[in-house]
C-alpha cells in the first residue's frame, strides 16, 4: 500500500509535471547519473563516462527519455 505512494524519479516527466525534452535528460538527473557512474568506475574520466552515456543514447534511437536512470547506468557500465 505504502509503495504506491512513492513516485519514480526515472521518468520523462519531472515531479512538478513538466515534460523533459526527449532529446536530453533533465540536467540534475544527468549530473546524478554521471556522479553515480564516476563512483562506480573511478578509473574512467568524466569525458569517457559521458561518451558511454552518449553511446547508450545512440543505441536508443537518439533519446534517453523513457529509460530508467538505473537502466542507463547499467548500459553505460557495460560499455565502459
Amino acid at each position: 500500500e505504502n509503495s504506491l505512494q512513492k513516485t519514480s524519479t526515472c521518468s520523462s516527466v519531472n515531479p512538478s509535471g513538466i515534460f523533459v525534452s526527449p532529446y536530453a535528460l533533465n540536467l540534475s538527473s544527468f549530473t546524478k547519473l554521471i556522479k553515480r557512474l564516476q563512483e562506480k568506475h573511478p578509473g574512467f574520466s568524466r569525458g569517457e563516462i559521458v561518451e558511454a552515456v552518449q553511446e547508450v543514447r545512440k543505441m536508443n534511437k537518439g533519446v534517453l527519455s523513457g529509460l530508467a536512470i538505473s537502466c542507463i547506468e547499467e548500459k553505460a557500465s557495460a560499455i565502459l
Side-chain angles (χ1 to χ4, degrees), residues 8-75:
S8 172
T9 58
C10 304
S11 72
S12 59
V13 177
N14 70 20
S16 62
I18 298 170
F19 180 73
V20 178
S21 167
Y23 302 105
L25 270 177
N26 178 318
L27 186 58
S28 63
S29 296
F30 181 78
T31 303
K32 187 186 307 182
L33 172 66
I34 297 301
K35 184 176 180 185
R36 285 170 56 170
L37 285 166
Q38 286 176 317
E39 290 169 358
K40 193 171 187 178
H41 303 284
F44 289 94
S45 71
R46 185 182 192 283
E48 290 169 315
I49 291 170
V50 170
E51 284 179 29
V53 172
Q54 295 292 350
E55 185 62 31
V56 172
R57 187 176 78 176
K58 269 187 2 190
M59 294 175 359
N60 196 48
K61 301 177 185 174
V63 295
L64 291 173
S65 67
L67 287 177
I69 291 177
S70 59
C71 180
I72 299 168
E73 182 181 355
E74 184 179 306
K75 290 179 180 202

